[in-house]
Amino acid sequence: MKGSTFLRCVALALVLPTAASAQLLPPVPQLPQPPNRVGEAVGGIRGALPLDAASADAWQLVRQSVERAHDLARRFPDRIELDRDDNPVRAGEVTLADPDPAVLELVQRAGFSVIESERYEDLGIGFARLRAPAGLSAVEATRRLGRIVGGTG
């Protein structure tokens, strides 16, 4: 019996210091190893994000928007036409930013009529919405206004 008690004491002596030291020292966390190259990390992220699909979806939305604008202009030509950038605008109307009375007089003599004109004194800017002369598209009217306001018309 004394022999087995002795063996138990030896076994306990071998185990106790290890268990006690494991409890006293905080565990050291394992940090992830950085990739060898930045490209590997970026490549992993790029592969995880659907960038190609998002880009394709964005281009499809742009195409649909342009198609809708063209469709509106075809269906309602008396109310909607396309400007030089294919944006829908009111048919036969153009705007002038911050026109002075002399410019408004010039454009009226050229056949344009003022639909509305307003000045925002707080902002220091105004605008005028003009009806183009009969038969002029918004694009043609914009060109003509450019010549008038620019002094070449």
Side-chain angles (χ1 to χ4, degrees):
M1 190 75 137
K2 283 189 178 203
S4 68
T5 305
F6 175 75
L7 286 176
R8 284 185 191 158
C9 286
V10 170
L12 229 109
L14 291 174
V15 173
L16 279 178
T18 308
S21 67
Q23 291 176 3
L24 295 174
L25 296 175
V28 177
Q30 288 292 332
L31 298 175
Q33 295 298 318
N36 293 336
R37 292 180 288 156
V38 174
E40 292 174 13
V42 173
I45 292 170
R46 186 170 185 223
L49 297 175
L51 297 177
D52 292 336
S55 177
D57 290 346
W59 279 111
Q60 182 174 353
L61 288 173
V62 168
R63 282 190 299 275
Q64 288 173 348
S65 177
V66 170
E67 288 170 10
R68 273 194 301 276
H70 282 264
D71 182 53
L72 284 171
R74 270 191 306 275
R75 291 175 43 212
F76 306 102
D78 58 322
R79 291 183 273 170
I80 299 171
E81 61 183 277
L82 301 176
D83 69 7
R84 66 178 184 198
D85 298 320
D86 278 346
N87 295 310
V89 296
R90 289 183 183 213
E93 290 186 17
V94 291
T95 58
L96 276 178
D98 209 20
D100 61 40
V103 168
L104 287 178
E105 189 178 319
L106 276 174
V107 298
Q108 286 176 319
R109 278 194 265 149
F112 290 85
S113 57
V114 178
I115 298 169
E116 103 182 271
S117 180
E118 198 161 337
R119 177 131 185 98
Y120 301 102
E121 292 301 332
D122 295 350
L123 301 174
I125 193 166
F127 77 95
R129 188 166 61 116
L130 308 172
R131 165 83 46 215
L136 283 186
S137 70
V139 171
E140 294 165 334
T142 301
R143 283 190 196 120
R144 185 175 291 179
L145 272 179
R147 289 192 303 270
I148 294 168
V149 174
T152 61

